Amino acid sequence: MLSPQEREHYKKITFAKKSSETEKKYSDLYNEFCQNGYTKALAAEYADFFVLNAKKPAPGDILQTVRLYDKVRDYKSAAFFLTKLEDMEKKLNSEEKFRYCIAALLVKSKVGNWRDAEEFRTEHINFMQLHSEKVSMRQKAAMYIALSYTDCAAKHYNSAFRLLKGFGYKPQGRNDAILLEILIAGVYICAKSGDEASIGNAVENAYAAMKLFKSFEHGWTEKYYEKRIADAAEGIA
């Protein structure tokens, strides 16, 4: 989750209108996140306040809801909130649309709807590529990770690996969460491909990236990544 300060100053995404009520609620939820990490309770509480009970939910809050449900692997709920973004796609600005595309690819792929994921990719790939090139390597990495999950869902494992390795990401210092996400995706693809010989090496690479971290953002973050790596090695996204 974005911190309250980041949320307030993030101009490219539209969030709920600022008020004492929304500020307090978001601060409370963010504090809960800092203490406990991603939980279904947090996702449900966020969804209730900022989306389901809002007169006109903001794209940023719907995107945040999808992400929270994705993180706890409640893909059914994530897919439900994605439909709300689909309904307003033409009204989204370019950053919101890009993030919607990434979320859609990830959720569709993780539930195994590879045909839907591939059709969605075909429809939106030109936009995603152009947008990511204009914005940042971080956005480009997010796109390629999502595309690799799409190929993996369709059992195109070699293509998935090429996507992760071939877009030219360069490590950004010791606390590089993007590199770690790329390596965790690599572990997952190895597991899904059934290539037992490569899983151990992929896991080692992911743990090596973790060991480079000087510190973790929250008290729960290190164990969270450790579980992500272990789950990925079992083919769990």
Side-chain angles (χ1 to χ4, degrees):
M1 287 182 70
L2 295 172
S3 70
Q5 293 76 23
E6 289 170 327
R7 178 182 171 92
E8 183 177 347
H9 292 101
Y10 203 93
K11 304 301 183 184
K12 295 179 180 179
I13 301 287
T14 307
F15 293 106
K17 289 184 178 180
K18 186 177 178 180
S19 70
S20 57
E21 184 181 18
T22 58
E23 283 188 276
K24 183 181 185 306
K25 186 63 177 180
Y26 191 85
S27 180
D28 289 345
L29 290 174
Y30 183 73
N31 288 335
E32 182 181 336
F33 167 73
C34 290
Q35 290 295 317
N36 303 314
Y38 298 104
T39 65
K40 284 192 176 183
L42 174 66
E45 194 172 355
Y46 192 101
D48 283 345
F49 186 90
F50 287 102
V51 181
L52 296 176
N53 293 318
K55 290 182 179 179
K56 190 176 180 181
D61 290 312
I62 302 174
L63 284 164
Q64 184 92 278
T65 299
V66 172
R67 178 178 172 80
L68 291 173
Y69 276 116
D70 174 34
K71 288 293 188 180
V72 296
R73 302 186 179 120
D74 185 347
Y75 302 124
K76 183 177 180 180
S77 295
F80 168 77
F81 287 100
L82 272 173
T83 62
K84 295 183 177 295
L85 287 168
E86 183 180 350
D87 292 340
M88 62 172 68
E89 182 178 348
K90 291 182 180 179
K91 298 179 181 179
L92 301 177
N93 65 39
S94 59
E95 180 68 10
E96 291 164 348
K97 182 177 177 179
F98 180 80
R99 291 179 182 243
Y100 158 64
C101 289
I102 297 302
L105 286 175
L106 288 173
V107 173
K108 292 174 186 292
S109 300
K110 289 177 182 180
V111 297
N113 291 340
W114 62 270
R115 286 188 178 87
D116 287 349
E118 286 194 330
E119 288 176 5
F120 187 93
R121 175 179 61 189
T122 299
E123 182 180 351
H124 295 87
I125 188 64
N126 288 338
F127 162 76
M128 288 190 291
Q129 288 177 328
L130 287 171
H131 181 81
S132 66
E133 289 290 347
K134 291 177 181 178
V135 181
S136 68
M137 179 56 79
R138 175 181 290 270
Q139 298 286 55
K140 194 173 182 180
M143 180 185 71
Y144 276 97
I145 291 170
L147 292 173
S148 74
Y149 274 98
T150 301
D151 272 348
C152 184
K155 299 183 180 180
H156 300 152
Y157 304 118
N158 289 335
S159 295
F161 280 121
R162 283 197 296 270
L163 284 168
L164 288 179
K165 294 178 179 179
F167 72 96
Y169 183 76
K170 295 179 181 179
Q172 306 294 309
R174 294 182 65 90
N175 290 29
D176 192 346
I178 297 173
L179 176 62
L180 191 51
E181 289 293 340
I182 292 170
L183 294 172
I184 290 172
V187 174
Y188 173 74
I189 295 166
C190 285
K192 297 301 284 187
S193 72
D195 186 355
E196 297 290 340
S198 65
I199 295 175
N201 186 54
V203 169
E204 282 185 19
N205 289 338
Y207 276 116
M210 270 192 65
K211 289 177 182 177
L212 291 175
F213 277 62
K214 290 183 177 179
S215 61
F216 292 91
E217 187 174 5
H218 306 292
W220 51 266
T221 307
E222 184 173 10
K223 289 188 178 298
Y224 165 76
Y225 280 127
E226 288 175 349
K227 189 173 189 309
R228 286 274 310 281
I229 296 169
D231 286 348
E234 297 295 326
I236 302 169

